[in-house]
Amino acid sequence: MKVLITAGPTYERIDPVRFIGNYSTGKMGFAIAETFAANGHDVVLVAGPVQIKSENPRIHRIDVESAAQMYEAVMSEFPKVDGAVLCAAVADFTPITVADKKIKREGDNLVIELKPTQDIAAAVGRAKQPNQFLVGFALETNDEEAHALDKMRRKNLDFIVLNSLKDKNACFGYDTNKVTILKANGEKHEYPLKTKKEVAQDIYDNIML
Ligand code: C5P
């Protein structure tokens, strides 16, 4: 198979030296990419700005910075793959204008107006063919399952991997994660705290079933 994986944060530029970002490290997406590659599949890994390296030569990496660049890369690669796992923490908003010079400190408050970015997962969900799979992630702080199920339906995902910020040692930056997989066919699998490598294997197994 050939699979597309997104990983890491996006950076939305404010001026030549500043951006709006988030705490995603890319560890979960890179672990999924390594798992597919280790099992003999070709991987296109669209990565936001991250500090980690991909190791397996079966991983073809496309580095991007912003949500708009990630959207372009994903939409051009998706028709060529058997499915996608969208793990990236894509910015939901981006500045309407990018200052061409460093913004100077002034007395008053600074207001930066933001516009929504494209929802990559939703666009991929609309483009998805019957022979392609699509897996997304949800990070929720409240009413986790209801929100995740709603996202899965809205974005036309086959399943969604839910991580909750309520779980200690899970999520951004940690090497461990605690997930629940909710499937469009109604199945629900709750897993204990595991390493991201083990979670990647669980996600892989659910796709290959
Ligand atoms: O709506 P929310 O951001 O919580 O959905 C999370 C899922 O959607 C993740 O799989 C994430 O990678 C994807 N997503 C995306 N493009 C966006 C926002 C989220 O692909 N602009």
Side-chain angles (χ1 to χ4, degrees):
M1 283 205 311
K2 186 171 180 186
V3 297
L4 171 68
I5 295 170
T6 66
T10 63
Y11 285 0
E12 308 304 317
R13 275 174 194 240
I14 296 170
D15 71 14
V17 297
R18 301 187 181 95
F19 59 85
I20 297 171
N22 62 66
Y23 292 119
S24 172
T25 58
K27 282 180 185 171
M28 191 65 246
F30 275 61
I32 296 169
E34 294 291 347
T35 301
F36 271 96
N39 283 282
H41 305 289
D42 290 321
V43 178
V44 179
L45 175 59
V46 179
V50 294
Q51 299 301 320
I52 46 181
K53 292 194 163 61
S54 40
E55 277 151 29
N56 195 304
R58 284 185 183 279
I59 300 176
H60 169 64
R61 186 165 158 182
I62 302 175
D63 288 314
V64 298
E65 182 176 283
S66 65
Q69 290 167 357
M70 188 172 280
Y71 176 85
E72 292 303 324
V74 167
M75 295 317 281
S76 86
E77 293 299 322
F78 186 67
K80 303 178 229 165
V81 299
D82 296 292
V85 183
L86 304 178
C87 216
V90 185
D92 290 321
F93 294 93
T94 194
I96 287 183
T97 54
V98 182
D100 55 359
K101 296 194 186 71
K102 187 179 170 193
I103 299 170
K104 293 273 178 257
R105 178 198 294 271
E106 281 166 9
D108 289 337
N109 293 346
L110 172 67
V111 176
I112 299 170
E113 206 176 343
L114 307 176
K115 62 181 180 191
T117 55
Q118 299 245 40
D119 187 330
I120 302 170
V124 172
R126 286 190 292 271
K128 186 175 81 156
Q129 300 298 308
N131 58 344
Q132 288 179 303
F133 69 84
L134 182 57
V135 174
F137 275 68
L139 171 61
E140 306 291 341
T141 54
N142 59 291
D143 299 322
E144 289 97 334
E145 278 195 34
H147 282 137
L149 286 170
D150 178 55
K151 264 172 210 180
M152 178 172 70
R153 293 186 189 116
R154 266 193 296 119
K155 303 186 187 210
N156 194 22
L157 309 175
D158 296 294
F159 67 83
I160 192 154
V161 183
L162 169 62
N163 12 194
S164 171
L165 273 180
K166 283 184 193 152
D167 288 309
K168 231 174 140 252
N169 300 328
C171 228
F172 286 154
Y174 290 103
D175 288 319
T176 47
N177 206 357
K178 186 171 179 301
V179 304
T180 301
I181 292 180
L182 301 168
K183 295 194 173 181
N185 66 8
E187 279 176 38
K188 173 179 166 181
H189 303 278
E190 271 183 275
Y191 297 93
L193 190 72
K194 293 184 177 205
T195 65
K196 285 188 175 172
K197 197 173 168 191
E198 290 167 329
V199 174
Q201 186 65 46
D202 290 334
I203 292 166
Y204 175 80
D205 291 342
N206 274 282
I207 290 168
M208 301 310 279
L209 272 179

